[in-house]
Amino acid sequence: MAQPLIKKDDDRDDEADYSPFMGIEKGAVLQEARVFHDPQLDPRRCSQVITKLLYLLNQGETFTKIEGTEVFFAVTKLFQSKETGLRRMVYLIIKELCPSSDEVIIVTSSLMKDMNSKNDMYKANAIRVLCRITEGTLLTQIERYLKQAIVDKNPVVASAALVSGIHLLQTNPEIVKRWSNEVQEAVQSRAALVQFHALALLHQIRQNDRLAVNKLVTSLTRGTVRSPLAQCLLIRYTSQVIRESGTNNQAGDRPFYDYLEGCLRHKAEMVIFEAARAITELNGVTSRELTPAITVLQLFLSSSKPVLRFAAVRTLNKVAMTHPMAVTNCNIDMESLISDQNRSIATLAITTLLKTGNESSVDRLMKQIMNFMSDIADEFKIVVVEAIRSLCLKFPLKYRSLMNFLSNILREEGGFEYKKAIVDSIVILIRDIPDAKESGLLHLCEFIEDCEFTYLSTQILHFLGIEGPKTADPSKYIRYIYNRVILENATVRAAAVVTLARFSNEVEQLKPRILVLLKRCLFDSDDEVRDRATMLLDENNKEFVFGSLDVPLVNLETSLKNYEPSEEPFDITSVPKELKPQPLADKKAPGKKPTGLGAPPLVPASGVDTYEKLLSSVPEFLSYGKLFKSSAPVELTEAETEYSVNVVKHIFDGHIVFQYNCTNTIPEQLLENVISWETYLTFFSLVRILTVVYFDFTFSQVTVIVDASEAEEFEEVASKPLKSLPYDVPGHTFVSFQKPQGVLAVGKFSNTLTFIVKEVDPSSGEAEEDGVEDEYHLEDLDVVAADYMLKVGMSNFRNAWETMDPDSERVDEYGLGPRESLADAINAAINLLGMQPCEGTEVVANNSRSHTCLLSGIFIGNVKVLARLQFGLEKNKEVAMKLAVRSDNEAVSDTIHEIVASG
C-alpha cells in the first residue's frame, strides 16, 4: 500500500491536511487490484483497493481501454462474495467504470439476480447500477421490474427506482413517461424521500406542458405533501407557475400566494425559509406581500443555528437592493450579527446595513465596522469597501466620515486587490463628489508615502497629475510627489517626474521651483528617469507630451506596425484620425466597465477634446466660437448594410455642424465624390453629385449636401468634403448650418447617399475611369431640444437648488398619459430634457405609485438649470407630473416648460 507523504500526528491542525490517498499512483493501484483474483477473497482489502480506484477516477485519472476492461472483469468476480460492505463497493465501481455494451452483458445477469433479491440493499443498488450502464433495448426488458420498484413498500428501493428514472429521463424519455401512474402513486407515499423523489420525477415528466404543471401544483398545494423536502420542491414549482402566469400585482389577486404565506407557518425550518425566499423573489412583489416573509427572516437572524442566520441575512441582503425600506425593521437584529463568529454572516450583515441605513446612522455604522474589519479576510473586506462607496454616493454629505474611514483602512495591512479596491473607491468619490477632492487627494498622497505596490503608486501619481493642478492650492502636493523621486524604485520615480512636469505645465506660479526639482532628476541612476526629465525640461516637447494626441492610439499602433524602415522617416500625418468602428459582436457583448483608477475620465479625451481639435482644423468653423456640446454618434444605416454611416451633431451658440462618419464595408470597392443628401432638394435647389468608387474599402471626395426643407430655422453656410477614405478606415465630412441665437431650433433632415460605382482591376488595384451612378438611402436625422442641454451631475442638489434665485422658479403640472410604469415615464422625461439625474433619483422602487426625480444640466449659453420632477401614477396607469425649474436665466426656465408642453 502506498505511504502518505505527510506524517500523521496528534495535532488537529495537521490532521486537517492529512489524506490516506496522498501519493498513490495508478500503476501501483492496478497491481493491487490483482487481489480480486485470489481464491480466498479478503473483503476488507478488496474494499480498500476499490476505494483507491474510485479516488483516482474522481480525481480525473483516466484508464485506458485495456486497463478499464481488466479492472471491470476482475471486479465481476467479487459478486461471489456475500459480504455486504464489499458488495456495495462493487456497485459503486461498476457505475464509475461505465463498461461498454459488449461488457455489460457479463454483469447483467448478476445485477438482475440482485434486483429480484429479497435483500433490499442489493435490490436498490442493483436498480441504480442497471439503469446507469444499460441501453434502451435492455430497459424495455426490465421496465416491469422498475415499475414495481417505484411502488415498493421499502422506501430505499422506491427511491432508488425514482432517482434512476430521473437520470433515464435524459436519455430514454419515452420509457420513463410511461411510468406516470406509478410515480403519481409514489407522490402519496408517507416516506419523506420517496415523496421528494417522486415529485421531482413527476414534474420533469410534465415540465414541457404548462397546463399539466399548473394542475399538478394546484392539486398538491391542498395539503397532500407531508415531506419537508417535497414541500420545498413544491414551493419552487409554485413560484415558477406564478412567474409564468403573468400575475396581477394587485393585492390578493396573485395565484398561490396564500399557499406560500401558509408555508411560513410550517413546523420545518427549511420549508419556512424556502417560502420566505420565494415570496421575496416574486416579480413585482408589494410591501404588503413582503411583510410576513421579512418577519420570518427577522426571527431567523436570532437563531442559534449559523446556517439559518446565514440564509436569512443573505436573503435580506438581496431584498435590500430593491426594497431597502422593507428591511429597515431588521437593522437592530443585523447589527448584533456584526460580531458573529461566522465572518460570512458578519459581512452580509454589514453590507445590508449599509444599503438600508439612513444618513443619521452612518457614523454609528462606521464605528462598528472599524472594529470588525481586522477580523475578516481581504475578499470580505473588498465587499464592505464597495458597499461603503455606494453609501457615500447615496449620501454625499457624509463624505467626510466615509472618506476618513477609507483612509484609515488604507493604512492597515492588506493585499493588492484590497488596497486597489480602497484606492478605486476614493478616486470615484473624488470624481463624483467635488467637495471630496481636496481631502481625497491628501489621503492618496499619504498612502503613497508608504505604499508597497508599484502599480498603485504610479496610478495614483498619474491621477494626482490630472486632478492636483485644478485644486485651490496645488503646491501642497509637490512634497509628496518629489519624495517619490528620492525614495522609490525607478518605475515610480519615472511616474513622479511626469507628474511634476504636469504641475509645471499647468500651474505657472510653481514652474520655476518645479524646474529646479526636474533638473536634479537629470542625475538619476536610471536611464528612463533621466530621459523623461531631459525631454520634459525641453519646452518644445510640452505640447507633444501633455497635448491631446490628434490620432487614436490604436490607429497609431497599427501604422507603426505596418511601417517598414527606410530612408524616409515615419510621418504621423499619414495615420488615420478616425477610430475604426467597434465590431458588431463586441457591441452586443460589452464587457464590465472599469472603475476607479482604470476607468476613463468623466469627459473622455477622445470625445470633446478630439472633436474640438478636429473642428478647429477646418478654417470655415474657426469663427463659430467655443464648442458647447457634441452628441453621441447617431447611426444612419443598419449594422449589416454595405455602407456604414453615422453622424455627430456639434452644437455652437449660433451654429450646428454635422460630422458624417462614413465607412465602406465591401471589399474591392472604391467610393469617390461621395455625397450624402440630407434632404431631397426642392425644384430649383442646387444638386450636388456624390460619386462612389469601389476600391478595397476606400472613399474619395466625400461631400455632404444638406437641405433644411423641414428645418426652416436652419441655413447651410459651409461644407467640408473628404478627399480620401482608405479601405475599412472611416473618414468624415462636415456640413454646417447657421441658426438664430437664443432660439430653440429643431428640425428633421432626410439623407440620401449618391455615388458612382467603378470596377477595380484586381491585378493593379486601379479603378476604371467610367462608372455607373447610383444612390443609397439613409435614415432621417432629427435635431431635438435635448441637443441643446449638456448633462452635468450635481452631488448636493438641495444646496444647489437653494442657492439659485427663487424668482427664476417656474412650476406647472402636466399629464403624461398612460404609461406601463413610473420608471417608463421618468425615462421619457429625462430623454426629452437631456438632463443628468442626480443622487440616484432615476431609480424607482418596485410598485411605487409616486416618485421625485432630480435633474441638472447646462443649457446652451452656459445657463445652469435644475429641475425637480414629481410623478404620480393613477389606478388607470395615467401619469401626472409636477415640474419645478430653476435656472440662472428666467427665460430658460420658461423654455424648459415649453419643451415639456410640446413634447
Side-chain angles (χ1 to χ4, degrees):
M1 183 180 296
Q3 297 298 319
L5 296 181
I6 298 177
K7 183 179 178 181
K8 181 180 179 182
D9 56 31
D10 296 332
D11 193 337
R12 293 184 63 86
D13 292 337
D14 292 339
E15 285 183 8
D17 297 330
Y18 171 78
S19 171
F21 302 107
M22 292 194 69
I24 65 173
E25 297 179 354
K26 183 177 72 171
V29 177
L30 292 176
Q31 290 292 328
E32 291 183 48
R34 294 180 179 179
V35 299
F36 300 159
H37 298 283
D38 290 350
Q40 299 296 326
L41 291 174
D42 183 351
R44 182 176 180 181
R45 189 179 180 191
C46 291
S47 296
Q48 290 175 344
V49 175
I50 292 177
T51 303
K52 291 181 180 180
L53 289 168
L54 290 170
Y55 174 79
L56 290 173
L57 289 170
N58 280 280
Q59 292 299 310
E61 194 72 54
T62 57
F63 292 168
T64 64
K65 176 68 174 175
I66 297 176
E67 291 171 345
T69 301
E70 290 179 352
V71 172
F72 172 73
F73 279 104
V75 167
T76 58
K77 294 186 177 183
L78 300 180
F79 274 102
Q80 59 185 316
S81 173
K82 301 299 182 183
E83 212 277 329
T84 304
L86 179 59
R87 181 65 64 88
R88 297 181 71 177
M89 298 300 293
V90 170
Y91 292 134
L92 285 175
I93 191 65
I94 290 176
K95 282 203 302 181
E96 292 298 324
L97 288 173
C98 290
S100 58
S101 57
D102 54 340
E103 295 171 350
V104 167
I105 195 170
I106 304 298
V107 76
T108 300
S109 58
S110 298
L111 291 173
M112 292 188 69
K113 181 180 178 181
D114 286 350
M115 191 173 65
N116 294 307
S117 170
K118 294 181 180 179
N119 188 322
D120 288 332
M121 191 279 293
Y122 287 1
K123 193 172 183 179
N125 283 287
I127 290 172
R128 286 176 178 266
V129 177
L130 269 174
C131 293
R132 176 69 178 270
I133 66 176
T134 54
E135 297 179 349
T137 53
L138 181 60
L139 282 175
T140 55
Q141 300 177 23
I142 63 173
E143 183 180 1
R144 177 169 59 90
Y145 300 104
L146 294 175
K147 286 184 177 181
Q148 292 174 357
I150 290 174
V151 294
D152 194 279
K153 294 181 180 179
N154 189 299
V156 177
V157 176
S159 283
L162 290 166
V163 171
S164 299
I166 293 173
H167 293 303
L168 287 174
L169 195 62
Q170 311 301 322
T171 55
N172 297 278
E174 66 285 347
I175 294 178
V176 179
K177 288 179 180 178
R178 296 200 293 261
W179 305 351
S180 293
N181 293 335
E182 288 77 9
V183 177
Q184 185 74 50
E185 185 178 344
V187 171
Q188 309 303 323
S189 172
R190 292 182 176 272
L193 276 179
V194 174
Q195 193 172 49
F196 170 66
H197 291 141
L199 178 57
L201 178 56
L202 189 61
H203 179 266
Q204 286 197 23
I205 291 174
R206 300 182 178 182
Q207 63 182 349
N208 295 324
D209 187 346
R210 286 182 57 183
L211 182 59
V213 172
N214 203 320
K215 289 182 178 179
L216 173 65
V217 170
T218 303
S219 62
L220 294 179
T221 51
R222 295 171 183 168
T224 58
V225 177
R226 302 180 185 88
S227 164
L229 288 171
Q231 194 90 341
C232 290
L233 208 56
L234 181 58
I235 290 172
R236 295 186 181 185
Y237 298 154
T238 303
S239 301
Q240 179 184 350
V241 171
I242 293 175
R243 284 195 300 270
E244 294 176 351
S245 61
T247 61
N248 185 346
N249 290 334
Q250 297 299 324
D253 290 345
R254 192 189 296 274
F256 301 114
Y257 174 78
D258 292 338
Y259 166 73
L260 295 179
E261 189 176 11
C263 290
L264 296 175
R265 297 181 288 274
H266 199 276
K267 60 183 179 180
E269 292 169 336
M270 69 171 75
V271 176
I272 296 173
F273 170 71
E274 191 68 36
R277 187 170 67 89
I279 291 175
T280 61
E281 293 178 353
L282 292 175
N283 294 330
V285 63
T286 63
S287 299
R288 189 198 68 81
E289 292 171 333
L290 271 178
T291 301
I294 299 296
T295 303
V296 168
L297 293 172
Q298 185 176 3
L299 295 175
F300 282 177
L301 291 176
S302 56
S303 171
S304 60
K305 300 178 181 179
V307 66
L308 282 180
R309 297 199 301 274
F310 175 78
V313 73
R314 187 175 68 167
T315 304
L316 290 171
N317 185 276
K318 293 180 180 178
V319 176
M321 296 179 183
T322 53
H323 298 82
M325 298 304 298
V327 187
T328 52
N329 293 334
C330 306
N331 283 2
I332 297 177
D333 298 275
M334 280 189 288
E335 285 185 19
S336 64
L337 295 180
I338 294 178
S339 57
D340 196 281
Q341 293 181 351
N342 189 309
R343 297 293 86 186
S344 299
I345 296 176
T347 305
L348 285 169
I350 283 181
T351 53
T352 307
L353 285 169
L354 292 174
K355 293 173 185 174
T356 59
N358 52 36
E359 197 165 0
S360 60
S361 65
V362 170
D363 295 328
R364 178 167 49 85
L365 278 176
M366 290 300 102
K367 292 179 181 178
Q368 291 179 298
I369 295 174
M370 181 60 74
N371 300 326
F372 158 82
M373 290 292 283
S374 59
D375 299 330
I376 60 175
D378 280 3
E379 56 266 27
F380 294 129
K381 291 179 181 178
I382 293 173
V383 175
V384 175
V385 168
E386 292 174 350
I388 290 173
R389 179 178 68 200
S390 301
L391 184 69
C392 191
L393 295 175
K394 182 179 179 182
F395 303 118
L397 293 179
K398 288 292 182 180
Y399 77 87
R400 288 186 178 86
S401 59
L402 295 172
M403 188 74 81
N404 289 334
F405 173 82
L406 291 174
S407 67
N408 289 334
I409 62 176
L410 191 58
R411 299 188 189 100
E412 298 175 356
E413 294 295 325
F416 171 75
E417 293 297 334
Y418 173 49
K419 297 289 186 179
K420 184 177 184 298
I422 300 173
V423 172
D424 284 347
S425 298
I426 294 176
V427 168
I428 290 172
L429 297 182
I430 291 172
R431 287 175 175 169
D432 292 354
I433 305 176
D435 295 339
K437 178 181 289 189
E438 296 278 350
S439 59
L441 290 177
L442 284 176
H443 290 318
L444 293 178
C445 287
E446 293 172 0
F447 171 62
I448 60 175
E449 287 286 316
D450 190 26
C451 178
E452 57 184 313
F453 303 108
T454 298
Y455 172 82
L456 291 181
S457 295
T458 55
Q459 294 297 306
I460 290 173
L461 286 168
H462 173 71
F463 181 71
L464 198 59
I466 296 174
E467 299 293 339
K470 303 174 185 176
T471 58
D473 184 14
S475 61
K476 60 185 175 184
Y477 305 110
I478 302 301
R479 174 174 64 87
Y480 298 99
I481 300 171
Y482 189 66
N483 282 347
R484 301 307 99 221
V485 177
I486 301 173
L487 303 173
E488 290 287 357
N489 58 48
T491 304
V492 179
R493 295 202 305 272
V497 167
V498 176
T499 304
L500 284 173
R502 189 178 291 275
F503 272 78
S504 170
N505 185 61
E506 298 187 20
V507 185
E508 193 64 31
Q509 59 267 31
L510 295 178
K511 188 172 184 178
R513 287 179 284 174
I514 294 178
L515 290 178
V516 174
L517 301 179
L518 288 176
K519 289 178 181 178
R520 295 179 184 176
C521 299
L522 295 175
F523 304 98
D524 193 274
S525 59
D526 185 76
D527 294 344
E528 177 69 18
V529 178
R530 294 197 305 271
D531 291 346
R532 289 195 183 192
T534 303
M535 181 181 67
L536 294 169
L537 282 169
D538 188 349
E539 292 292 332
N540 297 326
N541 294 328
K542 292 294 179 68
E543 179 63 26
F544 173 74
V545 176
F546 300 117
S548 58
L549 201 60
D550 288 338
V551 295
L553 290 177
V554 176
N555 293 357
L556 178 59
E557 180 185 10
T558 304
S559 299
L560 287 171
K561 288 180 179 179
N562 296 334
Y563 172 69
E564 296 181 0
S566 62
E567 295 181 358
E568 295 184 3
F570 177 77
D571 185 9
I572 196 171
T573 59
S574 64
V575 180
K577 294 185 178 182
E578 191 63 39
L579 189 64
K580 183 177 179 180
Q582 184 184 14
L584 183 62
D586 295 342
K587 291 181 181 179
K588 291 183 178 180
K592 184 179 179 181
K593 294 182 179 179
T595 58
L597 292 172
L602 294 180
V603 180
S606 60
V608 175
D609 291 344
T610 302
Y611 285 143
E612 285 183 343
K613 281 205 166 188
L614 189 60
L615 293 172
S616 63
S617 65
V618 182
E620 292 88 340
F621 305 155
L622 293 177
S623 59
Y624 293 174
K626 184 174 178 58
L627 176 64
F628 172 70
K629 175 185 176 181
S630 295
S631 72
V634 179
E635 296 294 336
L636 299 181
T637 56
E638 298 293 337
E640 298 82 7
T641 55
E642 55 267 44
Y643 309 111
S644 173
V645 180
N646 63 58
V647 61
V648 177
K649 294 174 278 188
H650 302 294
I651 310 297
F652 294 85
D653 284 342
H655 296 80
I656 182 169
V657 177
F658 295 142
Q659 174 187 328
Y660 290 88
N661 304 311
C662 310
T663 306
N664 181 1
T665 59
I666 301 180
E668 298 180 357
Q669 293 189 357
L670 171 66
L671 307 186
E672 290 183 346
N673 298 326
V674 181
I675 302 176
S676 173
W677 292 51
E678 221 175 306
T679 53
Y680 291 109
L681 298 182
T682 55
F683 190 71
F684 302 117
S685 296
L686 174 64
V687 179
R688 302 182 188 174
I689 303 300
L690 174 63
T691 308
V692 183
V693 184
Y694 289 67
F695 167 87
D696 245 3
F697 292 108
T698 301
F699 290 72
S700 298
Q701 298 300 322
V702 182
T703 310
V704 175
I705 298 177
V706 177
D707 172 36
S709 58
E710 295 186 49
E712 298 177 355
E713 295 173 321
F714 294 88
E715 179 184 356
E716 182 180 347
V717 291
S719 64
K720 174 70 174 178
L722 176 65
K723 295 182 179 179
S724 176
L725 188 62
Y727 156 65
D728 206 22
V729 177
H732 35 254
T733 178
F734 302 91
V735 176
S736 71
F737 283 85
Q738 186 175 9
K739 65 178 185 65
Q741 292 188 354
V743 176
L744 197 68
V746 297
K748 176 183 287 187
F749 304 88
S750 301
N751 299 275
T752 303
L753 191 69
T754 64
F755 47 86
I756 297 176
V757 182
K758 293 185 178 181
E759 296 183 2
V760 178
D761 186 351
S763 58
S764 63
E766 296 181 357
E768 297 181 357
E769 294 183 0
D770 298 330
V772 179
E773 293 186 2
D774 201 351
E775 64 181 26
Y776 192 80
H777 294 276
L778 305 176
E779 298 292 335
D780 292 344
L781 173 65
D782 292 315
V783 174
V784 295
D787 291 326
Y788 298 99
M789 183 71 71
L790 187 63
K791 291 186 175 183
V792 177
M794 193 69 61
S795 60
N796 193 333
F797 186 89
R798 180 185 299 176
N799 286 353
W801 179 269
E802 292 175 352
T803 56
M804 279 201 167
D805 185 5
D807 293 337
S808 69
E809 183 173 345
R810 299 290 185 270
V811 183
D812 205 345
E813 296 181 357
Y814 302 92
L816 304 185
R819 300 280 179 172
E820 289 296 324
S821 63
L822 276 183
D824 182 38
I826 291 172
N827 290 333
I830 292 174
N831 293 333
L832 176 64
L833 296 175
M835 300 176 71
Q836 176 68 37
C838 300
E839 301 178 7
T841 54
E842 75 276 14
V843 179
V844 186
N846 285 343
N847 303 309
S848 177
R849 308 197 70 83
S850 62
H851 186 75
T852 300
C853 182
L854 309 176
L855 304 179
S856 66
I858 302 292
F859 193 71
I860 189 166
N862 291 321
V863 180
K864 185 165 70 173
V865 183
L866 299 179
R868 179 182 289 159
L869 294 78
Q870 295 175 306
F871 295 86
L873 183 64
E874 303 295 336
K875 291 184 179 180
N876 56 359
K877 292 191 175 183
E878 292 279 341
V879 177
M881 181 183 73
K882 181 179 180 181
L883 173 62
V885 181
R886 289 187 180 183
S887 68
D888 294 337
N889 187 329
E890 296 180 8
V892 173
S893 299
D894 294 329
T895 300
I896 299 300
H897 278 280
E898 292 173 3
I899 293 172
V900 175
S902 61

